[in-house]
Each structure stands twice: as C-alpha cells, then as structure tokens.
Amino acid sequence: MYEATEIKRGVFWVGAIDWNIREFHGYTTNRGTTYNAYLVKGEKTALVDTVKAGFFPEMISRIKSIQDPEKIDYLIVNHLEMDHSGALPLIKELVPNAQIVATDYCSKGLVKHFQHDWPVQKVKTGHELSLGGKTLKFLEAYMLHWPDSMFTYLVEDSILLSNDGFGQHYAGFHRFDDEDGHFEAIMDEAAKYFANILMPLAPLIPPILKKVEKMRMPIEIIAPSHGIIWRAHIDKIINSYVEWSTGVARDQVLIIYDTMWGSTEIMAKAISNGLCKASVENKLVRLRQNHYSDIVKEILVSKIIVIGSPTINEGIFPSVAQLLSYLKGLHPLKKKGVAFGSYGWGGEAIEAINSEMKAGGIEVIEPGLGVVYVPMNQDIEACFQLGERIAAHLND
Ligand code: FEO
C-alpha cells in the first residue's frame, strides 16, 4: 500500500511520515516529522535505520514495494534512540539472520534497550562494508547527538546518511528539498532542530565536517533521518551548520519575558523602543504565548538576549525559570545577555537571571534593571536608555 521512493539508483527511502506528532520529548513539532529509513540494494541489501515502533507496518509496506523484507542482509543502526531503532526488534524478528552493524557504543546500548544479545558487527570510522556494487563507509559521530551516533556514507552514490545531523521535524508529501516548495519552512525547522538538539554539542560539528572533507567523501545528497532530503541546497545547509556551530548570528536582539500584572511587559516594550530608535532589529517574545523550543531557535540567530521576569517568591517567574534551565543545558555560543524585571520589594529575579545566564555561558553585559511596582515615566525612560545601550553593545 505504501511506496518506496528511489533517491538514487538502488537507494530507496522506506521511512514513515508522522503527520500529527506535535510534541517530541518536550520540543513542539508543529509541522510533524518523518522517520527516514533507507534501503540500499547491491548484490546484498542493507536497511539503514528503522522507524518508531508504531510505524513498523508503514516501513515494511514500503520495503515490500521493492523486495521481500526477509531478504535483508544487514541492519545498519546509525543511532540507538527509539525514533530510529524502535522498530529494530520487529524487523529482527522478521529477519533473524540479518547482521546488525553499529558502533561499539551502540552495541552496548542495544543490549540495555532491548535486552537481547544479538550479535553486532562493530564498526569504526573508515570501516567499509561491501554489498556488491554498493559500498557503505562508516563515520563515527560521537555525541552528535548521542555517544553511539554514526553516519553511513554510500561510496558509489556520494550519499551521506547523516541520521539526526541535518534533520528537520517536517512532515511532507515530497522527499527532496527542491520538490517541496516551502524551502523557508524547511530551513526554519532545520534551525529549530539544530537549536534544540545540537546546540550544546556545537563545538563537535566543525571537526566532523572537516573529517568528511579529509576522508574525501564528496557529497551529492545528504539524507537525514528526519524530514527532507538535501540535494539542491547542500551548500546552504552545510554553511548554516558551520555558522550555527561557531556562534555566527545576526545583529538581532531578542527580548524574552513574562509578566504578572503588566509591569515587566511595559519595561520590555520600552527597551524595544530604545532598540528601534537605534535602528536595531529586535523581537519581543512573551513566554506564555511562545514555546521555549521555538524561542531557542530565535536565540540561535540573535547576538543579544534580554531576559525579563517579575520577582516572585524571592526568585524568577516559573516560565522564565524554565527557559533559563533549558538554555543553561544548551550552552549557546557567543551570546550576550541582559536582565530586567519589575518587583514589589526584594527584586531577587535580576541577580538570579544573571547567575543562570552566566552558568549557561552567556556574557552578562549590564548589571540588570529593576523597577519597583509599576514603571513611572522615569523608569520607562531608563528602560528606553537601556535599549539604546544594548544597541551599542552589538558593536563591542
Ligand atoms: Fe536522536 Fe532522531 O533521534
């Protein structure tokens, strides 16, 4: 009933489309996602990655449109996480003699996850596996984004099966970047994916891209495990990864805040006005109307982050505290930060925000601005001036 898509002669997409998923371990997936598995046919056949367990029938149906699934010889496990290996026990049950191929780290994880003692052919960077007419070359991608992660390169076809790398949570009818017609949305999802999944591991990305270059692996197609396959915009996505992983951002200031009775919001708008007066691109996002997984995508591309919270219970407002806790783990590169907020008496939120920003590697460039109760004209002017000073920091 489901059809495979041939992405190059003898290489097929046999994954599944999850149109309706809207939450992915805390990350909002407003455009759904796909779980991309690939069937590579030489004289022998390899299945690279699988799908989430519940999508097994869809994957099997697509494989059947090409060949008998029981004739698969190898199961390549690029990554252990359940969105890609969840259906492994099911396919292994169907094809018990298929040889699993994975990194050493992954082989240990397979035992833990599935409590099976399947024999695993362990591979390292540079190892090759010939299918007869098709050669698979492996590249360990340690911590991109799990210790077990691996890329599989198809030598004769110049296809990089990059697993989570270069992925996007994007469900669509088309498989390729040049077919879809919504390129901006695809790049938006690629940035959101990078920000939420790969940002804390960014320093590891340039070395692996160099390794691909050094191993003389020309790339005509990048086929990730989520979303659209790249063939027309390979330079664009690789250059974006280089920028995102080295902290290159726009001259944009992002003002993130929440408010109890409106005072912190008045401050946020006055800071924005100061930035506008200085002709600096800025955006306001209130946390209760914007999900933190969308906000971190904006943080990725902004040079300065201004975070506002009222003081509550001698600390930070819960929605702001949640964002800061998430951001601390993501450890964004080369960001500058400023805190502000209203308070009734203590005003502890400012120092607490500063402390959380520093813990996340953000350079705090102002002591922070607090206002007691409701901002009066002079307070609004102070916020406006803060906006102007922040604008000047863009050129530091
Ligand atoms: Fe790390 Fe798409 O799983």
Side-chain angles (χ1 to χ4, degrees):
M1 167 184 160
Y2 291 100
E3 293 288 321
T5 303
E6 189 164 36
I7 63 172
K8 221 170 177 189
R9 202 166 63 82
V11 183
F12 301 87
W13 175 85
V14 290
I17 306 173
D18 193 347
W19 294 96
N20 291 309
I21 188 170
R22 290 294 176 269
E23 199 272 341
F24 198 100
H25 54 52
Y27 168 153
T28 56
T29 49
N30 304 326
R31 294 181 172 110
T33 195
T34 68
Y35 312 110
N36 298 341
Y38 299 96
L39 196 76
V40 185
K41 276 177 72 64
E43 287 163 27
K44 292 188 172 180
T45 301
L47 177 66
V48 182
D49 290 321
T50 68
V51 294
K52 243 184 184 177
F55 290 83
F56 177 69
E58 185 173 334
M59 179 183 77
I60 282 296
S61 175
R62 292 192 200 279
I63 294 172
K64 279 182 180 166
S65 74
I66 301 300
Q67 71 162 57
D68 179 356
E70 292 181 36
K71 293 196 173 144
I72 291 171
D73 300 286
Y74 295 98
L75 298 170
I76 314 298
V77 185
N78 272 337
H79 178 32
L80 184 57
E81 200 165 5
M82 292 301 106
D83 48 340
H84 309 299
S85 68
L88 188 65
L90 298 167
I91 188 86
K92 193 67 179 140
E93 203 177 308
L94 191 67
V95 199
N97 293 326
Q99 174 65 58
I100 294 177
V101 178
T103 61
D104 181 44
Y105 221 111
C106 187
S107 73
K108 290 176 184 141
L110 286 169
V111 176
K112 288 279 204 182
H113 271 266
F114 299 118
Q115 299 178 16
H116 266 287
D117 205 8
W118 296 315
V120 175
Q121 182 176 332
K122 295 178 192 168
V123 288
K124 290 179 183 289
T125 295
H127 284 184
E128 293 187 356
L129 173 68
S130 174
L131 302 179
K134 298 269 184 214
T135 311
L136 279 54
K137 190 169 188 165
F138 304 103
L139 175 60
E140 290 164 279
Y142 178 77
M143 290 316 295
L144 290 178
H145 66 122
W146 278 20
D148 58 86
S149 298
M150 176 171 86
F151 297 165
T152 297
Y153 179 71
L154 308 184
V155 175
E156 290 80 4
D157 300 297
S158 302
I159 299 176
L160 185 69
L161 304 175
S162 57
N163 195 260
D164 279 325
F166 309 105
Q168 338 92 49
H169 284 312
Y170 185 86
F173 170 74
H174 294 108
R175 301 274 63 82
F176 288 100
D177 54 350
D178 53 350
E179 291 176 331
D180 184 81
H182 300 94
F183 188 65
E184 206 172 310
I186 297 167
M187 281 308 297
D188 189 58
E189 291 298 340
K192 182 174 176 181
Y193 194 92
F194 185 98
N196 283 276
I197 307 288
L198 295 168
M199 196 196 280
L201 310 157
L204 300 173
I205 292 170
I208 200 145
L209 292 175
K210 279 210 175 73
K211 201 174 274 182
V212 170
E213 215 178 305
K214 207 170 155 191
M215 286 171 73
R216 293 200 178 87
M217 292 155 69
I219 297 173
E220 288 177 21
I221 292 176
I222 298 178
S225 290
H226 295 291
I228 287 289
I229 296 167
W230 306 94
R231 70 178 175 192
H233 300 91
I234 287 178
D235 286 349
K236 169 78 178 162
I237 188 63
I238 289 182
N239 290 340
S240 296
Y241 261 58
V242 169
E243 287 188 357
W244 296 333
S245 62
T246 52
V248 174
R250 296 214 306 260
D251 282 343
Q252 173 175 287
V253 177
L254 186 68
I255 304 170
I256 309 159
Y257 70 98
D258 216 331
T259 196
M260 283 173 72
W261 293 104
S263 292
T264 301
E265 184 161 63
I266 291 170
M267 295 178 74
K269 288 181 176 174
I271 294 167
S272 171
N273 282 341
L275 286 159
C276 289
K277 178 79 189 305
S279 300
V280 166
E281 187 181 345
N282 66 96
K283 282 188 181 172
L284 263 81
V285 282
R286 183 179 167 185
L287 272 153
R288 270 178 288 175
Q289 275 78 32
N290 295 276
H291 195 266
Y292 61 82
S293 62
D294 287 311
I295 292 175
V296 296
K297 179 198 67 187
E298 289 296 334
I299 290 173
L300 177 70
V301 296
S302 302
K303 280 191 180 161
I304 300 182
I305 309 155
V306 187
I307 299 182
S309 169
T311 294
I312 183 169
N313 302 331
E314 301 183 357
I316 308 170
F317 197 73
S319 56
V320 184
Q322 183 191 38
L323 172 86
L324 284 162
S325 168
Y326 190 63
L327 193 56
K328 194 162 58 177
L330 294 179
H331 216 87
L333 289 175
K334 297 182 185 170
K335 303 295 174 199
K336 295 173 179 173
V338 177
F340 70 98
S342 71
Y343 61 96
W345 42 100
E348 291 89 346
I350 304 287
E351 210 31 63
I353 293 171
N354 282 342
S355 161
E356 289 289 285
M357 286 198 291
K358 284 177 194 164
I362 298 167
E363 181 194 354
V364 176
I365 53 173
E366 285 272 336
L369 179 63
V371 166
V372 182
Y373 291 131
V374 177
M376 311 296 278
N377 285 344
Q378 69 271 23
D379 300 316
I380 291 171
E381 178 59 25
C383 292
F384 183 89
Q385 287 173 5
L386 176 61
E388 290 185 313
R389 288 202 302 284
I390 291 169
H393 282 295
L394 273 175
N395 303 315
D396 285 353

Short mmCIF file of all heavy atoms in Angstrom, two decimals, residues 206-241:
data_model
loop_
_atom_site.label_atom_id
_atom_site.label_comp_id
_atom_site.label_asym_id
_atom_site.label_seq_id
_atom_site.Cartn_x
_atom_site.Cartn_y
_atom_site.Cartn_z
N PRO A 206 32.20 21.33 13.62
CA PRO A 206 33.22 21.64 12.61
C PRO A 206 34.26 20.53 12.43
O PRO A 206 34.60 20.19 11.28
CB PRO A 206 33.84 22.96 13.12
CG PRO A 206 32.73 23.58 13.93
CD PRO A 206 32.03 22.44 14.59
N PRO A 207 34.74 19.89 13.53
CA PRO A 207 35.72 18.80 13.30
C PRO A 207 35.16 17.65 12.47
O PRO A 207 35.86 17.09 11.63
CB PRO A 207 36.07 18.32 14.71
CG PRO A 207 35.70 19.43 15.63
CD PRO A 207 34.59 20.20 14.97
N ILE A 208 33.88 17.33 12.68
CA ILE A 208 33.35 16.18 11.91
C ILE A 208 33.16 16.57 10.44
O ILE A 208 33.37 15.76 9.54
CB ILE A 208 32.08 15.60 12.54
CG1 ILE A 208 31.88 14.17 12.01
CG2 ILE A 208 30.83 16.37 12.25
CD1 ILE A 208 31.31 13.23 12.99
N LEU A 209 32.80 17.84 10.20
CA LEU A 209 32.69 18.27 8.80
C LEU A 209 34.07 18.23 8.13
O LEU A 209 34.20 17.85 6.97
CB LEU A 209 32.09 19.69 8.73
CG LEU A 209 30.61 19.80 9.16
CD1 LEU A 209 30.15 21.25 9.15
CD2 LEU A 209 29.71 18.98 8.25
N LYS A 210 35.09 18.60 8.91
CA LYS A 210 36.47 18.54 8.37
C LYS A 210 36.84 17.09 8.07
O LYS A 210 37.51 16.80 7.08
CB LYS A 210 37.45 19.14 9.39
CG LYS A 210 37.50 20.65 9.33
CD LYS A 210 38.87 21.18 9.74
CE LYS A 210 38.92 22.68 9.55
NZ LYS A 210 38.14 23.42 10.54
N LYS A 211 36.43 16.19 8.97
CA LYS A 211 36.76 14.78 8.78
C LYS A 211 36.14 14.26 7.48
O LYS A 211 36.78 13.52 6.73
CB LYS A 211 36.25 13.97 9.98
CG LYS A 211 36.95 12.64 10.11
CD LYS A 211 36.56 11.89 11.37
CE LYS A 211 37.37 12.27 12.57
NZ LYS A 211 36.99 11.51 13.77
N VAL A 212 34.91 14.67 7.21
CA VAL A 212 34.24 14.24 5.96
C VAL A 212 35.07 14.71 4.76
O VAL A 212 35.30 13.96 3.80
CB VAL A 212 32.81 14.82 5.89
CG1 VAL A 212 32.19 14.61 4.51
CG2 VAL A 212 31.91 14.19 6.96
N GLU A 213 35.56 15.95 4.86
CA GLU A 213 36.36 16.52 3.78
C GLU A 213 37.67 15.74 3.62
O GLU A 213 38.06 15.36 2.52
CB GLU A 213 36.67 17.98 4.14
CG GLU A 213 36.69 18.92 2.97
CD GLU A 213 36.95 20.34 3.46
OE1 GLU A 213 36.18 20.82 4.33
OE2 GLU A 213 37.93 20.93 2.99
N LYS A 214 38.31 15.46 4.77
CA LYS A 214 39.61 14.79 4.77
C LYS A 214 39.49 13.36 4.25
O LYS A 214 40.40 12.84 3.62
CB LYS A 214 40.15 14.78 6.21
CG LYS A 214 41.64 14.72 6.31
CD LYS A 214 42.08 14.96 7.73
CE LYS A 214 43.43 14.33 7.96
NZ LYS A 214 43.78 14.33 9.36
N MET A 215 38.36 12.74 4.54
CA MET A 215 38.18 11.35 4.08
C MET A 215 37.76 11.28 2.62
O MET A 215 37.41 10.23 2.12
CB MET A 215 37.12 10.65 4.96
CG MET A 215 37.64 10.32 6.35
SD MET A 215 36.33 9.73 7.46
CE MET A 215 36.02 8.09 6.83
N ARG A 216 37.79 12.45 1.97
CA ARG A 216 37.43 12.56 0.54
C ARG A 216 36.08 11.88 0.26
O ARG A 216 35.99 10.92 -0.50
CB ARG A 216 38.53 11.95 -0.33
CG ARG A 216 39.81 12.74 -0.26
CD ARG A 216 40.73 12.46 -1.44
NE ARG A 216 41.92 13.28 -1.37
CZ ARG A 216 43.00 12.94 -0.69
NH1 ARG A 216 43.04 11.81 -0.04
NH2 ARG A 216 44.05 13.74 -0.67
N MET A 217 35.08 12.41 0.91
CA MET A 217 33.75 11.90 0.73
C MET A 217 32.91 12.98 0.05
O MET A 217 32.25 13.77 0.72
CB MET A 217 33.14 11.51 2.09
CG MET A 217 33.83 10.29 2.70
SD MET A 217 33.73 10.17 4.49
CE MET A 217 32.05 9.83 4.78
N PRO A 218 32.97 13.08 -1.27
CA PRO A 218 32.15 14.08 -1.94
C PRO A 218 30.68 13.81 -1.66
O PRO A 218 30.27 12.65 -1.58
CB PRO A 218 32.47 13.89 -3.43
CG PRO A 218 33.04 12.52 -3.53
CD PRO A 218 33.66 12.20 -2.21
N ILE A 219 29.91 14.88 -1.50
CA ILE A 219 28.51 14.67 -1.12
C ILE A 219 27.59 15.23 -2.21
O ILE A 219 27.62 16.42 -2.51
CB ILE A 219 28.21 15.35 0.23
CG1 ILE A 219 29.06 14.70 1.33
CG2 ILE A 219 26.73 15.22 0.59
CD1 ILE A 219 28.97 15.39 2.67
N GLU A 220 26.77 14.36 -2.76
CA GLU A 220 25.74 14.81 -3.72
C GLU A 220 24.37 14.87 -3.05
O GLU A 220 23.50 15.63 -3.47
CB GLU A 220 25.67 13.86 -4.92
CG GLU A 220 26.86 14.00 -5.84
CD GLU A 220 26.81 13.01 -6.99
OE1 GLU A 220 25.73 12.49 -7.31
OE2 GLU A 220 27.88 12.73 -7.56
N ILE A 221 24.20 14.04 -2.03
CA ILE A 221 22.92 14.00 -1.32
C ILE A 221 23.20 13.82 0.17
O ILE A 221 24.05 13.00 0.55
CB ILE A 221 22.04 12.82 -1.83
CG1 ILE A 221 21.58 13.07 -3.27
CG2 ILE A 221 20.84 12.58 -0.91
CD1 ILE A 221 20.80 11.93 -3.89
N ILE A 222 22.52 14.61 0.98
CA ILE A 222 22.53 14.36 2.43
C ILE A 222 21.14 13.87 2.79
O ILE A 222 20.15 14.58 2.61
CB ILE A 222 22.87 15.63 3.24
CG1 ILE A 222 24.28 16.14 2.91
CG2 ILE A 222 22.76 15.34 4.75
CD1 ILE A 222 24.66 17.42 3.63
N ALA A 223 21.09 12.66 3.29
CA ALA A 223 19.79 12.06 3.62
C ALA A 223 19.72 11.85 5.13
O ALA A 223 20.26 10.87 5.65
CB ALA A 223 19.64 10.74 2.86
N PRO A 224 19.09 12.77 5.82
CA PRO A 224 19.00 12.64 7.28
C PRO A 224 17.87 11.69 7.70
O PRO A 224 17.12 11.20 6.84
CB PRO A 224 18.71 14.08 7.73
CG PRO A 224 18.01 14.72 6.58
CD PRO A 224 18.46 14.00 5.33
N SER A 225 17.72 11.52 8.98
CA SER A 225 16.70 10.60 9.49
C SER A 225 15.38 11.29 9.81
O SER A 225 14.44 10.63 10.26
CB SER A 225 17.22 9.89 10.72
OG SER A 225 18.21 8.99 10.34
N HIS A 226 15.35 12.60 9.67
CA HIS A 226 14.09 13.33 9.84
C HIS A 226 13.95 14.35 8.70
O HIS A 226 14.90 15.07 8.39
CB HIS A 226 14.06 14.13 11.15
CG HIS A 226 14.09 13.29 12.38
ND1 HIS A 226 13.05 12.49 12.77
CD2 HIS A 226 15.04 13.15 13.33
CE1 HIS A 226 13.35 11.89 13.91
NE2 HIS A 226 14.56 12.26 14.27
N GLY A 227 12.75 14.39 8.14
CA GLY A 227 12.42 15.49 7.23
C GLY A 227 12.91 15.28 5.81
O GLY A 227 13.06 14.17 5.30
N ILE A 228 13.18 16.40 5.18
CA ILE A 228 13.50 16.48 3.77
C ILE A 228 14.95 16.05 3.51
O ILE A 228 15.84 16.27 4.33
CB ILE A 228 13.30 17.97 3.34
CG1 ILE A 228 11.81 18.32 3.28
CG2 ILE A 228 14.03 18.33 2.09
CD1 ILE A 228 11.06 17.68 2.13
N ILE A 229 15.16 15.44 2.34
CA ILE A 229 16.50 15.03 1.90
C ILE A 229 17.11 16.19 1.11
O ILE A 229 16.44 16.77 0.24
CB ILE A 229 16.39 13.75 1.03
CG1 ILE A 229 15.84 12.59 1.87
CG2 ILE A 229 17.73 13.40 0.40
CD1 ILE A 229 15.41 11.38 1.04
N TRP A 230 18.37 16.48 1.41
CA TRP A 230 19.04 17.63 0.76
C TRP A 230 19.76 17.17 -0.51
O TRP A 230 20.60 16.28 -0.46
CB TRP A 230 20.06 18.25 1.72
CG TRP A 230 19.53 18.63 3.06
CD1 TRP A 230 19.56 17.87 4.19
CD2 TRP A 230 18.88 19.86 3.43
NE1 TRP A 230 18.96 18.53 5.24
CE2 TRP A 230 18.54 19.76 4.80
CE3 TRP A 230 18.56 21.03 2.74
CZ2 TRP A 230 17.89 20.78 5.49
CZ3 TRP A 230 17.92 22.05 3.43
CH2 TRP A 230 17.60 21.92 4.78
N ARG A 231 19.45 17.79 -1.63
CA ARG A 231 20.24 17.53 -2.84
C ARG A 231 20.50 18.82 -3.62
O ARG A 231 21.48 18.93 -4.32
CB ARG A 231 19.58 16.48 -3.73
CG ARG A 231 18.30 16.92 -4.43
CD ARG A 231 17.73 15.85 -5.34
NE ARG A 231 16.45 16.29 -5.88
CZ ARG A 231 15.60 15.51 -6.53
NH1 ARG A 231 15.88 14.24 -6.71
NH2 ARG A 231 14.46 15.98 -6.98
N ALA A 232 19.60 19.80 -3.50
CA ALA A 232 19.77 21.05 -4.25
C ALA A 232 20.39 22.15 -3.39
O ALA A 232 20.89 23.14 -3.92
CB ALA A 232 18.42 21.51 -4.78
N HIS A 233 20.34 22.00 -2.07
CA HIS A 233 20.80 23.07 -1.19
C HIS A 233 21.82 22.55 -0.18
O HIS A 233 21.80 22.92 0.99
CB HIS A 233 19.61 23.69 -0.44
CG HIS A 233 18.57 24.28 -1.35
ND1 HIS A 233 17.51 23.56 -1.82
CD2 HIS A 233 18.46 25.52 -1.89
CE1 HIS A 233 16.77 24.33 -2.61
NE2 HIS A 233 17.32 25.53 -2.68
N ILE A 234 22.70 21.68 -0.66
CA ILE A 234 23.69 21.08 0.24
C ILE A 234 24.62 22.15 0.82
O ILE A 234 24.90 22.18 2.01
CB ILE A 234 24.47 19.97 -0.48
CG1 ILE A 234 23.52 18.78 -0.65
CG2 ILE A 234 25.72 19.55 0.28
CD1 ILE A 234 24.08 17.62 -1.38
N ASP A 235 25.10 23.06 -0.05
CA ASP A 235 25.99 24.13 0.45
C ASP A 235 25.27 24.97 1.49
O ASP A 235 25.85 25.35 2.51
CB ASP A 235 26.46 25.04 -0.70
CG ASP A 235 27.48 24.33 -1.56
OD1 ASP A 235 27.96 23.26 -1.14
OD2 ASP A 235 27.77 24.84 -2.66
N LYS A 236 24.01 25.26 1.25
CA LYS A 236 23.24 26.11 2.16
C LYS A 236 23.13 25.46 3.55
O LYS A 236 23.37 26.10 4.57
CB LYS A 236 21.84 26.36 1.56
CG LYS A 236 20.85 27.01 2.48
CD LYS A 236 21.07 28.49 2.62
CE LYS A 236 20.03 29.12 3.52
NZ LYS A 236 20.40 30.41 4.02
N ILE A 237 22.80 24.18 3.58
CA ILE A 237 22.62 23.55 4.90
C ILE A 237 23.98 23.34 5.58
O ILE A 237 24.10 23.54 6.80
CB ILE A 237 21.77 22.25 4.82
CG1 ILE A 237 21.44 21.73 6.22
CG2 ILE A 237 22.45 21.15 4.01
CD1 ILE A 237 20.58 22.63 7.05
N ILE A 238 25.01 23.02 4.82
CA ILE A 238 26.33 22.84 5.45
C ILE A 238 26.83 24.19 5.96
O ILE A 238 27.32 24.29 7.10
CB ILE A 238 27.35 22.18 4.49
CG1 ILE A 238 26.94 20.70 4.30
CG2 ILE A 238 28.76 22.26 5.05
CD1 ILE A 238 27.86 19.90 3.42
N ASN A 239 26.69 25.24 5.17
CA ASN A 239 27.15 26.55 5.62
C ASN A 239 26.36 27.01 6.84
O ASN A 239 26.92 27.63 7.76
CB ASN A 239 27.03 27.59 4.51
CG ASN A 239 28.06 27.34 3.41
OD1 ASN A 239 29.06 26.66 3.65
ND2 ASN A 239 27.81 27.85 2.23
N SER A 240 25.07 26.71 6.86
CA SER A 240 24.26 27.08 8.04
C SER A 240 24.77 26.33 9.27
O SER A 240 24.88 26.90 10.35
CB SER A 240 22.79 26.76 7.80
OG SER A 240 22.29 27.54 6.75
N TYR A 241 25.10 25.06 9.10
CA TYR A 241 25.63 24.28 10.23
C TYR A 241 26.96 24.88 10.72
O TYR A 241 27.22 24.92 11.91
CB TYR A 241 25.80 22.81 9.85
CG TYR A 241 24.64 21.96 10.35
CD1 TYR A 241 23.33 22.25 9.97
CD2 TYR A 241 24.84 20.88 11.22
CE1 TYR A 241 22.26 21.49 10.43
CE2 TYR A 241 23.78 20.12 11.69
CZ TYR A 241 22.50 20.43 11.29
OH TYR A 241 21.44 19.68 11.77
#
